[in-house]
């Protein structure tokens, strides 16, 4: 069974950093592009970006390119999202997904507030 | 960036009714258009990829069509479990962009 499990969310103060993790199982993680998508409360889906199998190619949505950093550890079947200088606009559920979006995690909530 | 416009934003329909949801791109996306279903409180789920290809595990009442800038998701006979918000996504170019969603309700 394919599973993607995000973690690392919670309450964070404005201007601080936060690192989300996504642990994959049930498929050959190192064969897949992986992606991050977020959803602000009551809003639609926003594509954040994607990372290739060997991390050689990373595409970000331009408004978040300087704020978010993707990485992965194929030996640990893990995907990461490093968020820096967060603001209230980053409050959202963050989902990891396979690059073709055929599988999604359950999401992790990030709340930015003082 | 390619803008994706979904219509209507809210749709009320009866059980058994044929339902059509639309997604329009601001430029040609060469059929790289996916449809996702998101039930309340759940993660999105892939229904259709590349305009008209079924993703495994979904009911056959869902189908997709379209080309160029205009795409459609059709539910042939609406079921109560289809109450959800439906999003389209273009994967023709970067950044990928989602539509704002159509909320499907039961009448």
């Amino acid at each position: 069974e394919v599973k993607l499990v995000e973690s690392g969310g919670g309450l964070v103060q404005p201007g601080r950093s936060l690192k989300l993790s996504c642990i994959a199982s049930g498929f050959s993680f190192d064969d897949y592009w992986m992606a991050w998508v977020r959803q602000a409360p009551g809003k639609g889906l926003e594509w954040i970006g994607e990372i290739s199998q060997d991390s050689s190619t990373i595409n970000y949505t331009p408004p978040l390119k300087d704020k978010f950093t993707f990485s992965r550890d194929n030996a640990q079947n893990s995907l990461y999202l490093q968020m820096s200088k967060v603001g209230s606009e980053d409050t959202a559920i963050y989902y990891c997904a396979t690059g073709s979006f055929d599988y999604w995690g359950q999401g992790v909530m990030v709340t930015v507030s003082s | 960036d390619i803008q994706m416009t979904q219509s209507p934003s809210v749709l009320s329909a009866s059980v058994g009714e044929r339902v059509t949801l639309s997604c329009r791109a601001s430029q040609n996306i060469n059929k790289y258009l996916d449809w996702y279903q998101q039930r309340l409180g759940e993660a999105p789920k892939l229904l259709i990829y590349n305009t008209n290809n079924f993703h495994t595990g979904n009911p056959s009442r869902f189908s997709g069509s379209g080309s160029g800038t205009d795409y459609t998701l059709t539910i042939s006979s609406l079921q109560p479990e289809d109450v959800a918000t439906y999003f389209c996504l273009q994967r023709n170019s970067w950044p990928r962009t989602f539509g704002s969603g159509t909320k499907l309700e039961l009448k």
Side-chain angles (χ1 to χ4, degrees):
Chain A
E1 179 194 7
V2 172
K3 284 191 74 175
L4 295 169
V5 180
E6 301 94 338
S7 61
L11 179 64
V12 58
Q13 293 180 326
R16 303 296 291 267
S17 297
L18 190 67
K19 188 172 186 177
L20 305 182
S21 301
C22 171
I23 307 296
S25 61
F27 66 103
S28 297
F29 180 72
D30 53 7
D31 284 342
Y32 281 74
W33 283 71
M34 296 297 295
W36 287 97
V37 172
R38 71 180 182 179
Q39 187 170 35
K43 302 297 184 183
L45 301 170
E46 181 182 18
W47 184 84
I48 301 173
E50 61 190 5
I51 181 170
S52 64
Q53 294 93 328
D54 63 358
S55 304
S56 61
T57 302
I58 304 176
N59 297 306
Y60 298 97
T61 189
L64 300 177
K65 182 178 170 61
D66 295 327
K67 174 183 277 194
F68 290 178
T69 303
F70 297 166
S71 60
R72 63 189 293 167
D73 181 346
N74 288 341
Q76 300 295 322
N77 287 350
S78 296
L79 175 71
Y80 304 103
L81 170 56
Q82 177 72 50
M83 307 167 61
S84 63
K85 297 180 181 177
V86 297
S88 58
E89 68 278 8
D90 299 315
T91 293
I93 297 172
Y94 286 76
Y95 296 100
C96 69
T98 52
S100 50
F101 297 102
D102 40 2
Y103 299 105
W104 295 63
Q106 85 287 352
V108 63
M109 184 71 203
V110 173
T111 302
V112 181
S113 175
S114 53
Chain B
D1 299 2
I2 295 177
Q3 307 303 313
M4 305 299 294
T5 302
Q6 288 189 243
S7 60
S9 55
V10 180
L11 179 59
S12 295
S14 302
V15 172
E17 188 174 339
R18 182 181 181 89
V19 170
T20 300
L21 286 64
S22 296
C23 181
R24 173 167 289 176
S26 59
Q27 62 191 72
N28 182 9
I29 56 172
N30 298 301
K31 295 192 172 186
Y32 289 106
L33 188 285
D34 304 337
W35 290 96
Y36 298 84
Q37 177 192 65
Q38 186 178 33
R39 296 188 176 110
L40 193 63
E42 296 184 4
K45 183 174 72 167
L46 176 63
L47 292 174
I48 302 285
Y49 64 97
N50 293 348
T51 296
N52 55 12
N53 292 278
F54 298 100
H55 180 58
T56 185
N58 292 306
S60 58
R61 62 180 178 273
F62 292 94
S63 64
S65 63
S67 63
T69 61
D70 293 318
Y71 297 85
T72 298
L73 175 70
T74 299
I75 308 173
S76 60
S77 177
L78 186 66
Q79 299 302 304
E81 60 267 32
D82 299 336
V83 168
T85 300
Y86 293 82
F87 295 96
C88 61
L89 169 71
Q90 68 80 19
R91 291 186 296 107
N92 182 70
S93 60
W94 289 274
R96 311 311 196 193
T97 43
F98 287 94
S100 56
T102 292
K103 185 176 183 180
L104 181 55
E105 303 173 336
L106 283 182
K107 192 180 291 184

